[in-house]
Amino acid sequence: MAQRYGGKFSPDGARDTAAASTPKGGFQNAKRSKVGFRVNLLFIAPLPLIWKAFTSEPIVMAQYLAALGVLLLAGWLTREGLIAEEAYEARKVARRPAMPRKLAGSVMTGVGLGLVGIAGHGLIDAVIFAVLGAVLHSFAFGLDPMRDKGMDGIDTFQTDRVARAVDEAEKHLEAMKESILRAGDRALERRVAQFGTTARDLFRTIEDDPRDLSSARKYLSVYLKGARDATAKFSDIYARNRDAQARADYEALLDDLEQNFASRTQKLLMNDHSDLTVEIDVLRERLQREGIRDDA
């Protein structure tokens, strides 16, 4: 659907009040994604092998096509590994990826280039291609996270529960982001992104202290699921008739949700601080009972 873009510097001089009033929102604390041109190049670079394959005899053609498939698989593994690494880095408490995808991508790159060497050159060249390809791939994209982060002294059962709940909540946010695209309104897209940032602040707080999950579970499931369904319904209605009242009601819903999520996050942080104060007081009392005085 066509949209008119404008602002205070447009010919009509109208100020985009929705954009101006919207804070950083989804761009707050944003980082550049690692999944960019370099990864896309891994899917483009092997394509000339198609020409080599269909201009060769059948056995060599099969070798080139096999190399093409392996190299494309290497590109896919690398991309998935970078996505998993970004998710790992975004969280304060995280398990290492179950499968080292980037390492597997390096191995597959070596295997694919080795097949190219066998098809077009010889065994010695194939070994050189394989070793250089695997090493250079590792240098270019790095290795996967190999250890858990921030999990010392933490109940793994509780962290697993939190991880599952947060993953499900992230799916609801992603569904909201995809649904609002159907409305064809950039200001609303930014508004949903802003709400997503507020919701993720709550996610990070729960990950820091998995004991908070029980008091915030309805925010990660019931409220977000309702927001997802409301976003889908609103997008369908607004895309048909641009109903101003429906838009106002939807924005009011996002305001209420955002305020409640922010309030819950602050309450959990205050509870964590209170728990820390209690633990410090208990430890001081025990030290005093054992004859250790705090001279200060």
Side-chain angles (χ1 to χ4, degrees):
M1 178 178 295
Q3 301 181 53
R4 181 175 181 177
Y5 296 90
K8 65 178 180 179
F9 300 114
S10 298
D12 59 2
R15 179 177 176 83
D16 187 356
T17 56
S21 63
T22 302
K24 293 180 181 179
F27 298 102
Q28 184 178 4
N29 299 324
K31 295 182 180 179
R32 185 176 180 179
S33 175
K34 296 181 179 180
V35 184
F37 175 75
R38 292 188 305 157
V39 178
N40 294 332
L41 191 60
L42 295 178
F43 294 94
I44 299 173
L47 295 182
L49 293 177
I50 298 175
W51 173 260
K52 294 285 291 183
F54 288 100
T55 57
S56 304
E57 58 186 28
I59 295 180
V60 178
M61 178 182 70
Q63 292 172 338
Y64 276 127
L65 290 178
L68 174 65
V70 172
L71 290 173
L72 292 177
L73 174 61
W76 178 79
L77 287 170
T78 304
R79 184 182 64 186
E80 293 299 311
L82 289 172
I83 293 173
E85 184 179 16
E86 286 183 342
Y88 175 90
E89 292 176 349
R91 298 183 177 184
K92 296 180 181 179
V93 180
R95 290 186 180 276
R96 65 182 183 275
M99 174 184 176
R101 297 175 180 87
K102 291 199 293 181
L103 179 59
S106 296
V107 173
M108 289 295 101
T109 298
V111 172
L113 293 178
L115 290 173
V116 172
I118 292 175
H121 302 278
L123 182 59
I124 296 179
D125 295 321
V127 173
I128 295 174
F129 290 167
V131 173
L132 285 178
V135 171
L136 291 176
H137 183 282
S138 296
F139 275 115
F141 297 101
L143 298 177
D144 304 88
M146 294 298 181
R147 61 174 61 184
D148 298 335
K149 179 173 67 172
M151 298 188 65
D152 294 339
I154 294 180
D155 185 352
T156 56
F157 174 74
Q158 292 292 341
T159 56
D160 288 343
R161 291 178 61 227
V162 169
R164 289 193 296 269
V166 169
D167 287 343
E168 190 66 25
E170 286 284 359
K171 292 178 182 178
H172 294 327
L173 288 179
E174 188 63 27
M176 289 180 64
K177 180 180 176 182
E178 293 177 358
S179 294
I180 201 62
L181 294 177
R182 299 199 300 270
D185 190 305
R186 291 297 181 91
L188 287 176
E189 292 172 19
R190 290 192 295 268
R191 190 66 187 82
V192 170
Q194 178 183 329
F195 167 67
T197 300
T198 302
R200 289 186 176 93
D201 288 340
L202 178 60
F203 300 169
R204 302 293 87 83
T205 302
I206 297 172
E207 288 174 339
D208 288 344
D209 189 350
R211 294 173 299 177
D212 294 334
L213 176 62
S214 58
S215 62
R217 181 178 290 277
K218 62 182 179 182
Y219 288 83
L220 275 64
S221 56
V222 178
Y223 292 165
L224 279 183
K225 185 177 180 180
R228 179 202 66 186
D229 295 341
T231 301
K233 178 63 69 175
F234 164 76
S235 297
D236 293 337
I237 295 174
Y238 193 70
R240 289 197 301 265
N241 54 24
R242 319 304 285 182
D243 188 338
Q245 183 59 47
R247 178 192 173 109
D249 292 341
Y250 179 68
E251 288 182 319
L253 172 64
L254 289 179
D255 289 340
D256 290 342
L257 284 171
E258 188 168 7
Q259 291 174 7
N260 278 278
F261 271 73
S263 176
R264 174 55 58 176
T265 300
Q266 291 301 317
K267 185 174 181 179
L268 292 179
L269 290 174
M270 291 176 61
N271 290 341
D272 291 343
H273 186 271
S274 299
D275 292 343
L276 175 61
T277 302
V278 171
E279 291 179 3
I280 291 175
D281 291 341
V282 170
L283 181 57
R284 282 177 173 172
E285 291 178 2
R286 182 169 183 177
L287 290 174
Q288 290 176 357
R289 286 200 305 269
E290 294 181 359
I292 300 176
R293 295 291 184 269
D294 185 358
D295 294 336

